[in-house]
Every structure is written in structure tokens, then in C-alpha cells.
Amino acid sequence: MITGYYCTNIFSEQAKELIDFYREVLGIPFIKTDVDESNGVYLGFIENAPTLCIWDCRAFNAQPTGHQSFVFQTDDLDLTMESLRNKGVPLSEAIRYDWGTYEVRLSDIDGNEVVVVELV
């Protein structure tokens, strides 16, 4: 029986760069690593909660993971978008949805979708 959700694995041919994108550009905190700073890195916001784990697929002779969609939350989307634009990140137009989110989309360096939402 399933008792919890542990992590989402991303196997990438550019793991170090992808880790840098999530840590430096998006500001997702480092939790731990299974291997080193560029392989098997767990990123998240709370210890012992589900994380995003990035692996170097070449080190494990594995295929790159197919594209994913990750949703992150912010308290101020306009301020977050300004910060991302200042870092040179291309963004979609922000949209306010009737169901209560204000959100923007972008892509990481592997082509995964990143959605940043403010709950309104």
C-alpha cells in the first residue's frame, strides 16, 4: 500500500545546469544530495516533505526524463516575475484565472514547464 509521496525524479543530460537553474534562478532551496552537488540533488522547501530530485542520466546510463510540469507558489507574482525577468528568464503573459490563481509559465533548460502561481 502507498503511504506517502517521496519525490519527483528528473534525469537530465545537463544536471548541473538544471540544478543551478532551480537553485539560483528560481531560488528553490537545497535539501540534501545522494551523490554530490551536481547529481542526486534534492530541492524543496521542507525537510521530510516531497522534493524535486535531479540526477545526471549519463552517470546512471539512463534516458532523460520526459517533460514535466511543475507548479510553484509565490506570495507576490508581480514581484517574482520582475525578479525572473531581471535574471533574463523568458516568461509567458501572466493570467488571472476564475478559479483563483494568478499565474505565469516558463521553461527550464530541459524544456520542463514551470508554473508560478499566486493564490488570489
Side-chain angles (χ1 to χ4, degrees):
M1 167 158 285
I2 295 173
T3 60
Y5 176 65
Y6 185 67
C7 73
T8 298
N9 286 321
I10 298 179
F11 285 87
S12 174
E13 292 177 326
Q14 8 183 29
K16 181 176 180 353
E17 293 84 358
L18 193 61
I19 291 163
D20 289 345
F21 176 82
Y22 281 97
R23 286 182 75 182
E24 304 303 323
V25 176
L26 296 184
I28 309 301
F30 169 85
I31 298 288
K32 68 175 185 170
T33 183
D34 278 348
V35 181
D36 59 34
E37 292 284 317
S38 63
N39 189 12
V41 173
Y42 294 80
L43 305 170
F45 297 93
I46 303 170
E47 291 263 353
N48 302 315
T51 59
L52 177 62
C53 187
I54 301 175
W55 303 91
D56 183 344
C57 65
R58 294 170 296 190
F60 293 96
N61 197 26
Q63 291 296 312
T65 307
H67 291 160
Q68 306 291 321
S69 179
F70 301 107
V71 181
F72 296 100
Q73 187 175 339
T74 183
D75 292 330
D76 186 331
L77 185 62
D78 291 326
L79 188 60
T80 300
M81 290 188 317
E82 181 181 333
S83 173
L84 291 170
R85 282 188 186 111
N86 288 340
K87 294 177 182 178
V89 177
L91 304 172
S92 71
E93 291 295 319
I95 299 174
R96 288 186 189 275
Y97 289 101
D98 292 337
W99 54 76
T101 62
Y102 177 40
E103 56 189 67
V104 69
R105 287 174 163 67
L106 57 123
S107 294
D108 71 20
I109 63 169
D110 273 2
N112 294 301
E113 176 183 59
V114 175
V115 182
V116 183
V117 301
E118 175 184 337
L119 303 177
V120 290

